[in-house]
Amino acid sequence: MKYDLAIIGAGPAGLSAAIYGARGGLKTIVFEQALIGGQIVLTNEVENYPGFEEILTGFELGEKMKLQAQKFGAEIREETVESIIIHDSDKEIKTSEQNYQVKAIVFATGASPRKLGVSGEERLTGRGVSYCATCDGALYRGKVVAVIGGGDSAIEEAMFLTNFVSKAYIIHRRDELRAVHSIQQKALKNEKLEFILDTVVQEIIGENQVKSLSLLNKKTSVASELIVDGVFIYVGISPNNFLIKDILQLDNQGFVVTDDDMQTEIPGFYVVGDIRKKSLRQVVTATSDGAIAGFMAERYINGY
Ligand code: NAP
């Protein structure tokens, strides 16, 4: 099948590229293998995306973006892209269903939660270890949990968890949080949160269910055990670069390097959103990336 523009990933960056590409007259297709709406679908509250004074859930915002892209004629297909083949100016995408010939690609596969990498984490995932408070928080009503990390995600999601839990410990490896000031200020006022700083998790303990954490204070070298019913891990993200890691330039953390127009070293191949090397990963910067790429793809295809 032939399309002008293929977009891989239907998060805010990909859907924004679809809006701009389809509205610019390109025959546009979007592929998504998991969540239409991307990672924001896992976010309970989006309060910093301009234009919505009321707080939307990530699901609601993702749904609005999807409907807007479809309104302009973009097709959205739930198919897994298996490979991308570049033949000079033409590009081929093989999915689980069929092959597509396209003139330009916007790659928007985003990033996934990074693993902590400690003993017990993998074995107890789904048995007390979680990477999604929105999905699993309600399972911990009245219980005690730990949240690992000191960034925006850890602090925001810990606050969300206090809607259910009796107590949430935030365990961070330094004595200073990375989260922005406004998020920190809210968290410090929350009486269900307790901060354990300068501390790392050495092991997640439990046979069939999380029972406790083995901790180490890095300043005092004192080890301790913390009894918890669950642990939510928010220690950053890793880029979903599997499909392009051999064809595009990556930085030392695996994010894709583009120019200001989202253009990579392959003409007509744009990379947008959380998988791109950038300093601010937000819904608003993802949609900005997507808008630029959709616009540039239209210029590229029409030979401007
Ligand atoms: P992040 O900003 O990279 O923070 C990761 C946190 O995990 C840091 O505090 C880091 O510690 C800690 N960490 C990393 N590896 C660790 C390890 N092995 N052991 C213990 N701790 C470890 O990641 P994020 O919070 O997931 O956010 C990802 C991006 O999304 C960021 O750009 C963020 O601003 C954005 N975001 C924005 C919002 C919002 O605007 N409302 C909400 C969520 C996320 P150090 O501080 O010591 O490095």
mmCIF file of all heavy atoms in Angstrom, residues 121-165:
data_model
loop_
_atom_site.group_PDB
_atom_site.id
_atom_site.type_symbol
_atom_site.label_atom_id
_atom_site.label_comp_id
_atom_site.label_asym_id
_atom_site.label_seq_id
_atom_site.Cartn_x
_atom_site.Cartn_y
_atom_site.Cartn_z
ATOM 1 N N GLU A 121 13.445 -7.309 41.361
ATOM 2 C CA GLU A 121 12.600 -6.399 40.569
ATOM 3 C C GLU A 121 11.826 -7.150 39.481
ATOM 4 O O GLU A 121 10.595 -7.040 39.388
ATOM 5 C CB GLU A 121 13.479 -5.311 39.932
ATOM 6 C CG GLU A 121 12.699 -4.316 39.079
ATOM 7 C CD GLU A 121 13.616 -3.251 38.472
ATOM 8 O OE1 GLU A 121 14.849 -3.438 38.461
ATOM 9 O OE2 GLU A 121 13.075 -2.235 37.992
ATOM 10 N N GLU A 122 12.560 -7.923 38.692
ATOM 11 C CA GLU A 122 11.903 -8.601 37.567
ATOM 12 C C GLU A 122 10.919 -9.662 38.073
ATOM 13 O O GLU A 122 9.770 -9.720 37.646
ATOM 14 C CB GLU A 122 12.977 -9.244 36.691
ATOM 15 C CG GLU A 122 12.554 -9.346 35.259
ATOM 16 C CD GLU A 122 13.687 -9.853 34.398
ATOM 17 O OE1 GLU A 122 14.819 -9.339 34.500
ATOM 18 O OE2 GLU A 122 13.414 -10.805 33.632
ATOM 19 N N ARG A 123 11.387 -10.457 39.029
ATOM 20 C CA ARG A 123 10.574 -11.578 39.540
ATOM 21 C C ARG A 123 9.277 -11.081 40.181
ATOM 22 O O ARG A 123 8.234 -11.725 40.081
ATOM 23 C CB ARG A 123 11.411 -12.355 40.568
ATOM 24 C CG ARG A 123 10.781 -13.620 41.102
ATOM 25 C CD ARG A 123 11.777 -14.418 41.924
ATOM 26 N NE ARG A 123 12.491 -13.614 42.894
ATOM 27 C CZ ARG A 123 12.008 -13.276 44.085
ATOM 28 N NH1 ARG A 123 10.833 -13.707 44.458
ATOM 29 N NH2 ARG A 123 12.718 -12.531 44.910
ATOM 30 N N LEU A 124 9.315 -9.902 40.831
ATOM 31 C CA LEU A 124 8.140 -9.419 41.562
ATOM 32 C C LEU A 124 7.338 -8.361 40.795
ATOM 33 O O LEU A 124 6.407 -7.762 41.341
ATOM 34 C CB LEU A 124 8.571 -8.891 42.935
ATOM 35 C CG LEU A 124 9.108 -10.001 43.872
ATOM 36 C CD1 LEU A 124 9.815 -9.405 45.074
ATOM 37 C CD2 LEU A 124 7.967 -10.926 44.322
ATOM 38 N N THR A 125 7.697 -8.154 39.506
ATOM 39 C CA THR A 125 6.901 -7.224 38.702
ATOM 40 C C THR A 125 5.497 -7.801 38.542
ATOM 41 O O THR A 125 5.327 -8.973 38.216
ATOM 42 C CB THR A 125 7.574 -6.978 37.326
ATOM 43 O OG1 THR A 125 8.784 -6.277 37.572
ATOM 44 C CG2 THR A 125 6.693 -6.149 36.408
ATOM 45 N N GLY A 126 4.484 -6.981 38.851
ATOM 46 C CA GLY A 126 3.102 -7.471 38.838
ATOM 47 C C GLY A 126 2.722 -8.134 40.152
ATOM 48 O O GLY A 126 1.578 -8.513 40.352
ATOM 49 N N ARG A 127 3.689 -8.277 41.050
ATOM 50 C CA ARG A 127 3.419 -8.855 42.385
ATOM 51 C C ARG A 127 3.899 -7.869 43.450
ATOM 52 O O ARG A 127 4.584 -8.244 44.401
ATOM 53 C CB ARG A 127 4.191 -10.163 42.552
ATOM 54 C CG ARG A 127 3.774 -11.222 41.580
ATOM 55 C CD ARG A 127 4.872 -12.278 41.459
ATOM 56 N NE ARG A 127 4.438 -13.315 40.541
ATOM 57 C CZ ARG A 127 4.311 -14.589 40.876
ATOM 58 N NH1 ARG A 127 4.617 -14.997 42.077
ATOM 59 N NH2 ARG A 127 3.906 -15.452 39.986
ATOM 60 N N GLY A 128 3.609 -6.624 43.196
ATOM 61 C CA GLY A 128 4.018 -5.587 44.160
ATOM 62 C C GLY A 128 4.982 -4.588 43.553
ATOM 63 O O GLY A 128 5.124 -3.488 44.045
ATOM 64 N N VAL A 129 5.659 -4.975 42.461
ATOM 65 C CA VAL A 129 6.522 -4.013 41.750
ATOM 66 C C VAL A 129 5.725 -3.472 40.569
ATOM 67 O O VAL A 129 5.182 -4.254 39.776
ATOM 68 C CB VAL A 129 7.819 -4.675 41.233
ATOM 69 C CG1 VAL A 129 8.607 -3.690 40.369
ATOM 70 C CG2 VAL A 129 8.676 -5.167 42.384
ATOM 71 N N SER A 130 5.642 -2.139 40.465
ATOM 72 C CA SER A 130 4.866 -1.520 39.392
ATOM 73 C C SER A 130 5.604 -0.316 38.836
ATOM 74 O O SER A 130 6.424 0.307 39.526
ATOM 75 C CB SER A 130 3.498 -1.086 39.922
ATOM 76 O OG SER A 130 2.809 -0.322 38.948
ATOM 77 N N TYR A 131 5.295 0.010 37.585
ATOM 78 C CA TYR A 131 5.849 1.209 36.937
ATOM 79 C C TYR A 131 4.718 2.173 36.594
ATOM 80 O O TYR A 131 4.935 3.117 35.857
ATOM 81 C CB TYR A 131 6.624 0.806 35.661
ATOM 82 C CG TYR A 131 7.734 -0.171 35.963
ATOM 83 C CD1 TYR A 131 7.485 -1.543 36.023
ATOM 84 C CD2 TYR A 131 9.018 0.283 36.238
ATOM 85 C CE1 TYR A 131 8.488 -2.441 36.348
ATOM 86 C CE2 TYR A 131 10.029 -0.609 36.557
ATOM 87 C CZ TYR A 131 9.757 -1.968 36.608
ATOM 88 O OH TYR A 131 10.754 -2.858 36.940
ATOM 89 N N CYS A 132 3.494 1.912 37.100
ATOM 90 C CA CYS A 132 2.342 2.718 36.703
ATOM 91 C C CYS A 132 1.369 2.886 37.865
ATOM 92 O O CYS A 132 0.546 1.994 38.135
ATOM 93 C CB CYS A 132 1.642 2.066 35.507
ATOM 94 S SG CYS A 132 0.188 2.970 34.967
ATOM 95 N N ALA A 133 1.446 4.047 38.510
ATOM 96 C CA ALA A 133 0.551 4.312 39.641
ATOM 97 C C ALA A 133 -0.898 4.418 39.179
ATOM 98 O O ALA A 133 -1.816 3.970 39.860
ATOM 99 C CB ALA A 133 0.979 5.599 40.344
ATOM 100 N N THR A 134 -1.112 5.012 37.997
ATOM 101 C CA THR A 134 -2.487 5.151 37.494
ATOM 102 C C THR A 134 -3.134 3.779 37.303
ATOM 103 O O THR A 134 -4.314 3.599 37.581
ATOM 104 C CB THR A 134 -2.481 5.917 36.152
ATOM 105 O OG1 THR A 134 -1.748 7.109 36.339
ATOM 106 C CG2 THR A 134 -3.878 6.243 35.682
ATOM 107 N N CYS A 135 -2.318 2.816 36.813
ATOM 108 C CA CYS A 135 -2.884 1.483 36.566
ATOM 109 C C CYS A 135 -3.100 0.710 37.874
ATOM 110 O O CYS A 135 -4.112 0.036 38.033
ATOM 111 C CB CYS A 135 -1.938 0.640 35.703
ATOM 112 S SG CYS A 135 -1.150 1.515 34.374
ATOM 113 N N ASP A 136 -2.132 0.789 38.782
ATOM 114 C CA ASP A 136 -2.121 -0.138 39.917
ATOM 115 C C ASP A 136 -2.389 0.492 41.284
ATOM 116 O O ASP A 136 -2.538 -0.225 42.276
ATOM 117 C CB ASP A 136 -0.750 -0.853 39.985
ATOM 118 C CG ASP A 136 -0.475 -1.658 38.723
ATOM 119 O OD1 ASP A 136 -1.460 -2.131 38.109
ATOM 120 O OD2 ASP A 136 0.691 -1.798 38.343
ATOM 121 N N GLY A 137 -2.439 1.832 41.332
ATOM 122 C CA GLY A 137 -2.554 2.515 42.632
ATOM 123 C C GLY A 137 -3.721 2.031 43.468
ATOM 124 O O GLY A 137 -3.587 1.819 44.686
ATOM 125 N N ALA A 138 -4.879 1.818 42.832
ATOM 126 C CA ALA A 138 -6.085 1.458 43.583
ATOM 127 C C ALA A 138 -5.953 0.102 44.281
ATOM 128 O O ALA A 138 -6.712 -0.201 45.202
ATOM 129 C CB ALA A 138 -7.294 1.458 42.653
ATOM 130 N N LEU A 139 -4.983 -0.705 43.871
ATOM 131 C CA LEU A 139 -4.769 -2.007 44.520
ATOM 132 C C LEU A 139 -4.160 -1.849 45.915
ATOM 133 O O LEU A 139 -4.090 -2.805 46.674
ATOM 134 C CB LEU A 139 -3.815 -2.877 43.682
ATOM 135 C CG LEU A 139 -4.228 -3.176 42.240
ATOM 136 C CD1 LEU A 139 -3.105 -3.886 41.505
ATOM 137 C CD2 LEU A 139 -5.491 -4.048 42.256
ATOM 138 N N TYR A 140 -3.679 -0.641 46.205
ATOM 139 C CA TYR A 140 -2.945 -0.425 47.462
ATOM 140 C C TYR A 140 -3.710 0.442 48.457
ATOM 141 O O TYR A 140 -3.125 1.118 49.289
ATOM 142 C CB TYR A 140 -1.551 0.165 47.147
ATOM 143 C CG TYR A 140 -0.726 -0.835 46.385
ATOM 144 C CD1 TYR A 140 -0.783 -0.884 44.992
ATOM 145 C CD2 TYR A 140 0.042 -1.781 47.047
ATOM 146 C CE1 TYR A 140 -0.075 -1.842 44.286
ATOM 147 C CE2 TYR A 140 0.751 -2.747 46.351
ATOM 148 C CZ TYR A 140 0.684 -2.767 44.985
ATOM 149 O OH TYR A 140 1.377 -3.731 44.292
ATOM 150 N N ARG A 141 -5.033 0.387 48.367
ATOM 151 C CA ARG A 141 -5.877 1.168 49.283
ATOM 152 C C ARG A 141 -5.557 0.803 50.732
ATOM 153 O O ARG A 141 -5.561 -0.374 51.096
ATOM 154 C CB ARG A 141 -7.348 0.860 48.976
ATOM 155 C CG ARG A 141 -8.294 1.963 49.281
ATOM 156 C CD ARG A 141 -9.679 1.615 48.754
ATOM 157 N NE ARG A 141 -9.797 1.791 47.305
ATOM 158 C CZ ARG A 141 -10.019 2.944 46.706
ATOM 159 N NH1 ARG A 141 -10.147 4.036 47.424
ATOM 160 N NH2 ARG A 141 -10.121 3.021 45.393
ATOM 161 N N GLY A 142 -5.204 1.818 51.516
ATOM 162 C CA GLY A 142 -4.928 1.600 52.943
ATOM 163 C C GLY A 142 -3.576 0.952 53.220
ATOM 164 O O GLY A 142 -3.259 0.635 54.358
ATOM 165 N N LYS A 143 -2.771 0.746 52.170
ATOM 166 C CA LYS A 143 -1.488 0.047 52.372
ATOM 167 C C LYS A 143 -0.309 1.020 52.344
ATOM 168 O O LYS A 143 -0.488 2.226 52.147
ATOM 169 C CB LYS A 143 -1.335 -1.022 51.296
ATOM 170 C CG LYS A 143 -2.426 -2.075 51.408
ATOM 171 C CD LYS A 143 -2.158 -3.272 50.558
ATOM 172 C CE LYS A 143 -3.178 -4.344 50.937
ATOM 173 N NZ LYS A 143 -3.110 -5.499 50.087
ATOM 174 N N VAL A 144 0.873 0.458 52.507
ATOM 175 C CA VAL A 144 2.099 1.276 52.540
ATOM 176 C C VAL A 144 2.940 0.940 51.310
ATOM 177 O O VAL A 144 3.173 -0.237 51.016
ATOM 178 C CB VAL A 144 2.915 0.960 53.824
ATOM 179 C CG1 VAL A 144 4.232 1.723 53.830
ATOM 180 C CG2 VAL A 144 2.081 1.296 55.055
ATOM 181 N N VAL A 145 3.347 1.975 50.602
ATOM 182 C CA VAL A 145 4.159 1.736 49.396
ATOM 183 C C VAL A 145 5.416 2.605 49.433
ATOM 184 O O VAL A 145 5.500 3.576 50.194
ATOM 185 C CB VAL A 145 3.370 2.048 48.089
ATOM 186 C CG1 VAL A 145 2.169 1.148 47.936
ATOM 187 C CG2 VAL A 145 2.976 3.517 48.027
ATOM 188 N N ALA A 146 6.359 2.234 48.560
ATOM 189 C CA ALA A 146 7.546 3.077 48.353
ATOM 190 C C ALA A 146 7.555 3.496 46.891
ATOM 191 O O ALA A 146 7.131 2.734 46.012
ATOM 192 C CB ALA A 146 8.804 2.292 48.682
ATOM 193 N N VAL A 147 8.018 4.713 46.647
ATOM 194 C CA VAL A 147 8.206 5.202 45.281
ATOM 195 C C VAL A 147 9.690 5.494 45.139
ATOM 196 O O VAL A 147 10.274 6.192 45.982
ATOM 197 C CB VAL A 147 7.372 6.483 45.037
ATOM 198 C CG1 VAL A 147 7.645 7.037 43.648
ATOM 199 C CG2 VAL A 147 5.888 6.198 45.230
ATOM 200 N N ILE A 148 10.295 4.975 44.090
ATOM 201 C CA ILE A 148 11.738 5.152 43.914
ATOM 202 C C ILE A 148 11.985 6.200 42.837
ATOM 203 O O ILE A 148 11.448 6.093 41.730
ATOM 204 C CB ILE A 148 12.433 3.821 43.491
ATOM 205 C CG1 ILE A 148 11.890 2.615 44.274
ATOM 206 C CG2 ILE A 148 13.950 3.949 43.606
ATOM 207 C CD1 ILE A 148 12.044 2.688 45.746
ATOM 208 N N GLY A 149 12.832 7.192 43.165
ATOM 209 C CA GLY A 149 13.180 8.237 42.195
ATOM 210 C C GLY A 149 12.913 9.612 42.771
ATOM 211 O O GLY A 149 12.144 9.753 43.741
ATOM 212 N N GLY A 150 13.524 10.630 42.165
ATOM 213 C CA GLY A 150 13.354 11.993 42.662
ATOM 214 C C GLY A 150 12.954 12.969 41.580
ATOM 215 O O GLY A 150 13.001 14.176 41.778
ATOM 216 N N GLY A 151 12.545 12.456 40.405
ATOM 217 C CA GLY A 151 12.163 13.322 39.289
ATOM 218 C C GLY A 151 10.680 13.678 39.322
ATOM 219 O O GLY A 151 9.956 13.312 40.261
ATOM 220 N N ASP A 152 10.229 14.393 38.295
ATOM 221 C CA ASP A 152 8.825 14.810 38.221
ATOM 222 C C ASP A 152 7.885 13.614 38.333
ATOM 223 O O ASP A 152 6.869 13.673 39.037
ATOM 224 C CB ASP A 152 8.542 15.497 36.878
ATOM 225 C CG ASP A 152 9.222 16.844 36.762
ATOM 226 O OD1 ASP A 152 9.612 17.402 37.794
ATOM 227 O OD2 ASP A 152 9.351 17.336 35.627
ATOM 228 N N SER A 153 8.214 12.541 37.623
ATOM 229 C CA SER A 153 7.299 11.388 37.609
ATOM 230 C C SER A 153 7.168 10.802 39.005
ATOM 231 O O SER A 153 6.055 10.544 39.473
ATOM 232 C CB SER A 153 7.796 10.293 36.660
ATOM 233 O OG SER A 153 7.879 10.773 35.370
ATOM 234 N N ALA A 154 8.293 10.565 39.668
ATOM 235 C CA ALA A 154 8.252 9.933 40.995
ATOM 236 C C ALA A 154 7.412 10.771 41.957
ATOM 237 O O ALA A 154 6.540 10.238 42.662
ATOM 238 C CB ALA A 154 9.672 9.761 41.545
ATOM 239 N N ILE A 155 7.630 12.077 41.972
ATOM 240 C CA ILE A 155 6.960 12.908 42.970
ATOM 241 C C ILE A 155 5.463 13.065 42.629
ATOM 242 O O ILE A 155 4.603 12.938 43.498
ATOM 243 C CB ILE A 155 7.648 14.299 43.098
ATOM 244 C CG1 ILE A 155 9.166 14.119 43.262
ATOM 245 C CG2 ILE A 155 7.049 15.090 44.246
ATOM 246 C CD1 ILE A 155 9.612 13.229 44.385
ATOM 247 N N GLU A 156 5.179 13.293 41.336
ATOM 248 C CA GLU A 156 3.752 13.426 40.958
ATOM 249 C C GLU A 156 2.993 12.132 41.220
ATOM 250 O O GLU A 156 1.873 12.147 41.719
ATOM 251 C CB GLU A 156 3.638 13.764 39.463
ATOM 252 C CG GLU A 156 3.839 15.223 39.169
ATOM 253 C CD GLU A 156 3.375 15.604 37.770
ATOM 254 O OE1 GLU A 156 3.268 14.718 36.902
ATOM 255 O OE2 GLU A 156 3.123 16.800 37.560
ATOM 256 N N GLU A 157 3.603 11.018 40.846
ATOM 257 C CA GLU A 157 2.889 9.742 40.992
ATOM 258 C C GLU A 157 2.768 9.355 42.471
ATOM 259 O O GLU A 157 1.777 8.748 42.872
ATOM 260 C CB GLU A 157 3.570 8.646 40.169
ATOM 261 C CG GLU A 157 3.632 8.935 38.671
ATOM 262 C CD GLU A 157 2.278 9.230 38.027
ATOM 263 O OE1 GLU A 157 1.294 8.541 38.360
ATOM 264 O OE2 GLU A 157 2.212 10.170 37.205
ATOM 265 N N ALA A 158 3.761 9.726 43.275
ATOM 266 C CA ALA A 158 3.652 9.471 44.719
ATOM 267 C C ALA A 158 2.468 10.253 45.286
ATOM 268 O O ALA A 158 1.691 9.734 46.097
ATOM 269 C CB ALA A 158 4.946 9.859 45.425
ATOM 270 N N MET A 159 2.312 11.487 44.827
ATOM 271 C CA MET A 159 1.166 12.285 45.319
ATOM 272 C C MET A 159 -0.146 11.638 44.890
ATOM 273 O O MET A 159 -1.097 11.571 45.663
ATOM 274 C CB MET A 159 1.266 13.715 44.790
ATOM 275 C CG MET A 159 2.246 14.531 45.611
ATOM 276 S SD MET A 159 2.107 16.268 45.264
ATOM 277 C CE MET A 159 2.853 16.379 43.679
ATOM 278 N N PHE A 160 -0.189 11.151 43.657
ATOM 279 C CA PHE A 160 -1.400 10.476 43.185
ATOM 280 C C PHE A 160 -1.698 9.250 44.065
ATOM 281 O O PHE A 160 -2.846 9.000 44.441
ATOM 282 C CB PHE A 160 -1.240 10.079 41.716
ATOM 283 C CG PHE A 160 -2.341 9.205 41.216
ATOM 284 C CD1 PHE A 160 -3.631 9.710 41.078
ATOM 285 C CD2 PHE A 160 -2.116 7.871 40.913
ATOM 286 C CE1 PHE A 160 -4.673 8.898 40.628
ATOM 287 C CE2 PHE A 160 -3.145 7.058 40.464
ATOM 288 C CZ PHE A 160 -4.426 7.578 40.331
ATOM 289 N N LEU A 161 -0.639 8.508 44.420
ATOM 290 C CA LEU A 161 -0.835 7.299 45.229
ATOM 291 C C LEU A 161 -1.424 7.607 46.600
ATOM 292 O O LEU A 161 -2.109 6.766 47.193
ATOM 293 C CB LEU A 161 0.505 6.562 45.392
ATOM 294 C CG LEU A 161 0.964 5.784 44.153
ATOM 295 C CD1 LEU A 161 2.428 5.376 44.291
ATOM 296 C CD2 LEU A 161 0.085 4.552 43.937
ATOM 297 N N THR A 162 -1.185 8.819 47.103
ATOM 298 C CA THR A 162 -1.725 9.150 48.436
ATOM 299 C C THR A 162 -3.260 9.227 48.420
ATOM 300 O O THR A 162 -3.878 9.307 49.475
ATOM 301 C CB THR A 162 -1.120 10.462 49.010
ATOM 302 O OG1 THR A 162 -1.466 11.545 48.158
ATOM 303 C CG2 THR A 162 0.378 10.359 49.173
ATOM 304 N N ASN A 163 -3.872 9.192 47.238
ATOM 305 C CA ASN A 163 -5.343 9.075 47.180
ATOM 306 C C ASN A 163 -5.805 7.717 47.699
ATOM 307 O O ASN A 163 -6.973 7.539 48.034
ATOM 308 C CB ASN A 163 -5.844 9.220 45.738
ATOM 309 C CG ASN A 163 -5.660 10.623 45.226
ATOM 310 O OD1 ASN A 163 -5.834 11.565 45.979
ATOM 311 N ND2 ASN A 163 -5.305 10.769 43.963
ATOM 312 N N PHE A 164 -4.896 6.752 47.693
ATOM 313 C CA PHE A 164 -5.275 5.384 48.072
ATOM 314 C C PHE A 164 -4.548 4.903 49.332
ATOM 315 O O PHE A 164 -5.155 4.311 50.204
ATOM 316 C CB PHE A 164 -4.928 4.402 46.937
ATOM 317 C CG PHE A 164 -5.450 4.815 45.596
ATOM 318 C CD1 PHE A 164 -4.602 5.385 44.656
ATOM 319 C CD2 PHE A 164 -6.790 4.663 45.267
ATOM 320 C CE1 PHE A 164 -5.079 5.783 43.421
ATOM 321 C CE2 PHE A 164 -7.271 5.055 44.033
ATOM 322 C CZ PHE A 164 -6.419 5.621 43.112
ATOM 323 N N VAL A 165 -3.237 5.122 49.367
ATOM 324 C CA VAL A 165 -2.418 4.448 50.379
ATOM 325 C C VAL A 165 -2.499 5.173 51.722
ATOM 326 O O VAL A 165 -2.905 6.339 51.797
ATOM 327 C CB VAL A 165 -0.935 4.372 49.929
ATOM 328 C CG1 VAL A 165 -0.818 3.620 48.612
ATOM 329 C CG2 VAL A 165 -0.304 5.765 49.806
#
